[in-house]
Amino acid sequence: SAPARGAVAAADAASPPPAGDAGELPWRPYSAAAVAALRDSGRVVLVDFTADWCLTCKVNERVAFAADTVRAALRAHEVALLRADWTTRDPSVTRALAAFGRNSVPFVVLYGRDRAAAPAILPTLLTPGIVTRALDAAAAARPLPTLSVAPAR
């Protein structure tokens, strides 16, 4: 069934990606369920809204995401990477952009460990420094411990 497939995909999204070669970042396809599952697991989540026809998106890929310092920070903070491909104007990506009041790419959203905190919206044009500082800030917040609701004995 469709809901079962969504749950399996969301659960799979929460598990760490397999170690790949150093040349490719472990991007996974965007879905709202994947964002929720990854956030529930306590991961920092970066969502890159992009499109093949977007020149600024390509610059961000080559300048920021390809930088060794950014790759090292992504690994160090175990950041989950989701790519929201808007090349063909996917309706789910359009809805996600609209939820942020946006209707264009590039658009990069960074969800920190603190579920209560609003996600960080990165600038349109990225530099390695902008991305690494944002990653460090997102990873610094720690989720509150789960409080027991069982009565004390």
Side-chain angles (χ1 to χ4, degrees), residues 11-32:
D12 180 56
S15 63
D21 70 47
E24 290 293 322
L25 289 173
W27 293 103
R28 296 174 185 211
Y30 165 84
S31 74

Side-chain angles (χ1 to χ4, degrees), residues 146-153:
T146 304
L147 301 175
S148 173
V149 293
R153 294 185 197 246

Side-chain angles (χ1 to χ4, degrees), residues 4 7 10 20 37 39 45 50 59-60 71 73 75 92 98-99 112-113 122 126-127 134 141 150 152:
R39 295 197 71 211
V45 181
T50 187
V59 170
N60 286 341
R71 289 170 178 266
R75 282 190 304 274
S92 68
R113 294 190 197 283
L122 275 57
L126 302 174
T127 65

Side-chain angles (χ1 to χ4, degrees), residues 78-144:
E78 297 179 338
V79 177
L81 300 171
L82 299 178
R83 181 151 282 156
D85 187 352
W86 206 41
T87 300
T88 60
R89 307 281 176 144
D90 180 306
S92 68
V93 175
T94 302
R95 284 191 299 277
L97 284 166
F100 285 100
R102 303 297 176 112
N103 63 1
S104 64
V105 293
F107 183 60
V108 179
V109 180
L110 184 60
Y111 294 92
R113 294 190 197 283
D114 181 358
R115 293 227 14 143
I121 308 302
L122 275 57
T124 300
L125 191 58
L126 302 174
T127 65
I130 288 169
V131 177
T132 55
R133 282 189 298 276
L135 292 170
D136 291 345
R142 296 285 181 245
L144 293 173

Side-chain angles (χ1 to χ4, degrees), residues 54-70:
C54 171
L55 295 179
T56 305
C57 300
K58 298 301 178 193
V59 170
N60 286 341
E61 287 175 22
R62 287 182 177 88
V63 172
F65 295 131
D68 290 340
T69 54
V70 171

